[in-house]
Amino acid sequence: MKRYLLFSLVLFYCVSGLRAQTAIQIADDEIPVLIKNLPDWESVFDSATITNNSDKLKAVLGPREVLDLIDFAGGTEAVTAPYDEGKLLIVEYPTPQASIAADAAFTEKLAALASDPPTVYRRIGNFNVFLFDTTDVNKAGLLLDKVKYEKTVQWLGKDPNYLQKAERYLARSMADMFVGTAVAIVSALGLAVLTGIVAGLLFYRYRDQRRASMPTFSDAGGMVRLNLDGFTPTVTSDRLLND
């Protein structure tokens, strides 16, 4: 019984872990794409900040003059996260023209500031990437090399990958339903086993206490029996019937 209970608990934790992993994969689709463009975004996800507001960006990075040049109109977004190499900022513009125009303004401003510690800047696609307060320019360049710009394709008509996406969604839904059913069955089975063990222990204690309260014990069920164990009361001769 102990082995069976232990096996049920191990199976329950394994299935729970699988369900949690599936939930993480499904929730991963709700994470903004711009955050996923951060280098090793999983490790800095909790400390990352995504915004389309200049004041909020300054509250995170501090009052820097180059931040005043960022125009968040027209769908521009920014994400920032701290790294060992410095504070990384990625500004995504909706069009290449806007990114190019901002690139010229950023380059001119940074050349005039000559900040210390230096600020490393690079334009990557529609991304304008900054690394503030860096202590090692070479490591900063390696960090910026990890930032990749990937184009987003929007279909004017029906998405040709609709069936593949539907299949993935169905597979995830079925996996989640299967895991949920397995967890429910294992939980019910474990609860039943635990309830049986507790009920058995309580019943055993009740019978044990009841047996201990009896003055004598006889397995004859009230019938006449030989007094081999000394439990049968001695019958005096004056109470016997005479011939």
Side-chain angles (χ1 to χ4, degrees):
M1 179 64 69
K2 292 183 178 179
R3 292 182 179 179
Y4 179 76
L5 180 60
L6 180 61
F7 174 76
S8 300
L9 292 175
V10 172
L11 183 60
F12 171 76
Y13 284 117
C14 291
V15 174
S16 299
L18 179 60
R19 186 180 185 186
Q21 183 178 3
T22 303
I24 291 175
Q25 292 176 350
I26 294 175
D28 181 65
D29 291 340
E30 301 176 358
I31 298 175
V33 178
L34 188 55
I35 291 182
K36 295 182 180 180
N37 285 281
L38 291 169
D40 302 324
W41 67 270
E42 295 91 346
S43 60
V44 297
F45 175 73
D46 293 334
S47 57
T49 301
I50 184 170
T51 182
N52 57 0
N53 183 275
S54 179
D55 293 335
K56 184 176 181 180
L57 191 61
K58 292 178 181 179
V60 177
L61 295 175
R64 305 174 187 269
E65 294 184 26
V66 71
L67 299 181
D68 295 331
L69 302 177
I70 302 176
D71 185 8
F72 284 99
T76 302
E77 287 185 319
V79 63
T80 179
Y83 288 86
D84 295 336
E85 295 82 355
K87 298 178 181 178
L88 182 66
L89 170 65
I90 300 178
V91 182
E92 182 181 16
Y93 287 90
T95 62
Q97 293 79 7
S99 178
I100 294 172
D103 175 65
F106 293 148
T107 303
E108 182 180 358
K109 188 66 174 179
L110 292 174
L113 290 175
S115 59
D116 185 29
T119 298
V120 180
Y121 167 75
R122 186 184 303 175
R123 178 175 176 266
I124 305 172
N126 285 3
F127 291 159
N128 296 71
V129 186
F130 300 83
L131 189 63
F132 299 105
D133 303 335
T134 181
T135 56
D136 191 326
V137 177
N138 294 328
K139 291 183 178 180
L142 294 176
L143 180 65
L144 265 59
D145 289 339
K146 297 180 181 179
V147 179
K148 306 296 182 182
Y149 176 74
E150 298 179 356
K151 295 182 180 180
T152 302
V153 178
Q154 296 182 351
W155 301 97
L156 297 179
K158 184 178 180 181
D159 187 354
N161 299 320
Y162 173 77
L163 292 179
Q164 290 81 353
K165 294 180 180 178
E167 289 177 358
R168 287 195 297 268
Y169 175 78
L170 180 61
R172 290 180 177 180
S173 301
M174 293 296 294
D176 187 58
M177 183 178 65
F178 172 78
V179 172
T181 304
V183 169
I185 294 175
V186 173
S187 301
L189 184 60
L191 182 62
V193 172
L194 183 62
T195 303
I197 293 175
V198 173
L201 290 175
L202 293 176
F203 182 73
Y204 173 79
R205 291 286 299 170
Y206 168 74
R207 292 295 300 271
D208 188 56
Q209 292 177 359
R210 183 179 179 185
R211 187 182 299 111
S213 64
M214 295 180 180
T216 59
F217 174 78
S218 174
D219 59 357
M223 298 185 297
V224 178
R225 50 163 288 171
L226 297 176
N227 188 19
L228 299 179
D229 50 13
F231 287 157
T232 303
T234 303
V235 180
T236 57
S237 58
D238 58 345
R239 297 183 61 85
L240 298 176
L241 294 177
N242 296 325
D243 294 337

